Amino acid sequence: MTSPIDIEGGGTSVVVDGEPGPKTEPEAKKLEGRSPGQLMWIRFKRDRTGVVSAYVVGFFFLVGLLAPLISKLYGKDPYTVYADERPELFDSAGVPLQPNGGISSQFWFGLEPGNGYDVFTKLIYGIRTSLMISVCVTVATVLTGILLGVASGYLGGKPDYFISRVIDFLLAFPAQLFFIASMPVVVSLFVSPTDETPTYVRVVALIAVQWFLGWMSLARILRGTSLALREREFIEAARVSGASSWRIISKEILPNVVTPILVQSTYMLPGFVTAEAGLSFLGVGIVEPTPDWGQMFSKASTELVMSNDITYMFFPGVSMIIFIVAFNLLGDSVRDAFDPKTAR
C-alpha cells in the first residue's frame, strides 16, 4: 500500500492506489421554499405579545366551550336562586351576609344580590353566550363581505355600482341607535308582544341585527383589493386561457385577499362582543335567567348592587377588559405577521 504524496507547491494531494482521499466539506443544506402562510406563522411565533394574546383568547373560548363541564365539576349551576334555596346566606334586602359579596370556598366569586345566583357559573355561562353570538355574527358578516365585496370589485360595471350604493346607504345608519331601536321590532316579528320571548328568538334577533350593519366595512376593503387584483397579469392570463369568472375568483382572487379577511375578522369579533353586551345591558338583548356578559353589567349598575356589593362588578368587568385587550393585541400581531413592514 502507498500513501498520499504531497506535491510541492500544489494545493492538493495525490491519492495513490486505494488510499481514501481527504474528507470533503459537508454538503450545503438544500434551500427550502416557504409559502406566505408559513412565513406568516414564523413571524407570528416570534411575537411574544401575539402568542400570549392567542393563549388568553383561547382560554376564554375554552372556558365558554367547557362551561357545562366546569359547572358540573364545581357542583353548581347559574339558574339556582340561592336567595330561596338558602335564605340564611342573605339579609332581608337580598344582599349576601358574608363580606365581598359572599365570596367563600363554597362560592368562589360570591353570590349575586337579589336573586342570589352563583356569580362564577353565571360568568362562565355568560362568556359562553356572548362568544357564541359574536362568533355567529362574525362568520355571517365575513361571508357576506367576501361574497359582495369580491363580486363587486371583480365584476365591476352595474353590479359594482349597485353594491357600492347599498354599502354607502347602510353606512349612513347610526349603528348603535339602529341596534337599540330595531331589536324590539325584529323580536316582534317572531313572537307576539303579549307572549314571553324565547331565548333562541332573542339570539337570532341579535345575530340578524348586528349582521345587517356589520358587513359593509369588510366588503369595502375587499372591493378595493379586488379592483386592484383584476388588472394584474395573472388575472389577464387566466381570462385568456378561458377560465370562468367563478374559477378566477375562487382560485386567483380569494387566496390573495386572505390577509385583509383574517386581520379584519380579529378586529370585528371583539367589537361584536361589546355591541352584544351593550344591547343586553340596555335590556333589549339577552335577559334573565339566561346568563350573559352584558346582563351582568346591567345587574351591577342597579342601586341594590352599587350600594351593597361593589365587588360584583369586578369579575365580569376584569374578564371583559382582558378579553377585549387580548383580542385587539392578537389582531395587531396577525396584521404585523402578514405585513412585517407595518409599524405598530
Side-chain angles (χ1 to χ4, degrees):
M1 289 289 182
T2 56
S3 59
I5 302 173
D6 291 331
I7 300 177
E8 186 176 353
T12 60
S13 58
V14 179
V15 180
V16 180
D17 199 15
E19 283 290 330
K23 294 182 180 179
T24 60
E25 296 181 0
E27 295 183 0
K29 294 183 178 179
K30 294 182 179 179
L31 295 177
E32 296 181 1
R34 293 191 177 99
S35 66
Q38 291 174 322
L39 293 173
M40 175 267 178
W41 179 243
I42 292 172
R43 287 193 291 265
F44 179 78
K45 288 192 296 184
R46 292 173 182 168
D47 189 342
R48 293 183 179 179
T49 302
V51 172
V52 172
S53 299
Y55 278 116
V56 172
V57 170
F59 171 76
F60 274 91
F61 276 97
L62 190 64
V63 167
L65 185 65
L66 300 179
L69 178 60
I70 296 172
S71 176
K72 186 176 181 180
L73 295 174
Y74 180 56
K76 299 175 183 64
D77 62 68
Y79 306 106
T80 301
V81 181
Y82 285 98
D84 296 333
E85 296 284 333
R86 300 182 61 182
E88 69 276 6
L89 297 175
F90 302 85
D91 62 15
S92 58
V95 178
L97 292 173
Q98 294 188 5
N100 299 319
I103 295 177
S104 64
S105 59
Q106 188 176 8
F107 300 99
W108 295 352
F109 288 1
L111 293 163
E112 180 184 276
N115 292 323
Y117 295 119
D118 178 74
V119 176
F120 176 73
T121 53
K122 189 169 184 178
L123 176 61
I124 61 175
Y125 271 85
I127 292 173
R128 177 187 178 91
T129 302
S130 297
L131 291 186
M132 179 193 70
I133 294 173
S134 301
V135 168
C136 291
V137 176
T138 303
V139 171
T141 53
V142 167
L143 292 178
T144 306
I146 292 173
L147 177 64
L148 297 180
V150 173
S152 175
Y154 175 73
L155 298 176
K158 291 183 178 180
D160 180 33
Y161 178 83
F162 176 75
I163 295 174
S164 298
R165 299 294 76 77
V166 170
I167 292 175
D168 293 337
F169 174 74
L170 293 178
L171 285 174
F173 279 72
Q176 297 298 328
L177 292 177
F178 177 84
F179 292 161
I180 297 169
S182 60
M183 269 298 296
V185 177
V186 175
V187 169
S188 65
L189 296 177
F190 299 93
V191 181
S192 173
T194 59
D195 298 333
E196 185 178 354
T197 305
T199 301
Y200 77 88
V201 173
R202 291 187 175 275
V203 170
V204 171
L206 280 170
I207 294 172
V209 167
Q210 293 184 86
W211 160 80
F212 184 71
L213 289 183
W215 58 270
M216 294 87 67
S217 59
L218 178 61
R220 211 172 212 184
I221 293 172
L222 296 183
R223 173 187 175 272
T225 306
S226 300
L227 279 172
L229 287 173
R230 73 174 186 174
E231 306 300 331
R232 300 285 294 274
E233 292 80 1
F234 65 94
I235 300 294
E236 291 293 337
R239 287 200 194 99
V240 171
S241 66
S244 63
S245 297
W246 169 250
R247 180 173 178 80
I248 293 175
I249 290 175
S250 61
K251 300 295 184 182
E252 305 294 343
I253 293 182
L254 283 180
N256 287 281
V257 296
V258 171
T259 299
I261 291 172
L262 287 179
V263 172
Q264 288 300 311
S265 298
T266 57
Y267 288 125
M268 290 165 64
L269 193 144
F272 288 133
V273 169
T274 54
E276 186 275 333
L279 291 174
S280 297
F281 176 84
L282 295 171
V284 294
I286 303 298
V287 297
E288 286 186 346
T290 304
D292 182 80
W293 235 338
Q295 184 196 109
M296 296 187 74
F297 293 140
S298 179
K299 182 71 174 182
S301 66
T302 60
E303 184 178 353
L304 176 65
V305 178
M306 291 293 291
S307 58
N308 295 284
D309 184 15
I310 198 169
T311 57
Y312 177 79
M313 185 67 168
F314 177 79
F315 296 107
V318 169
S319 62
M320 176 166 281
I321 290 172
I322 292 174
F323 177 79
I324 299 299
V325 171
F327 222 116
N328 286 331
L329 291 175
L330 177 62
D332 290 339
S333 298
V334 171
R335 180 198 62 196
D336 294 343
F338 274 112
D339 187 4
K341 296 180 181 179
T342 302
R344 286 190 181 179

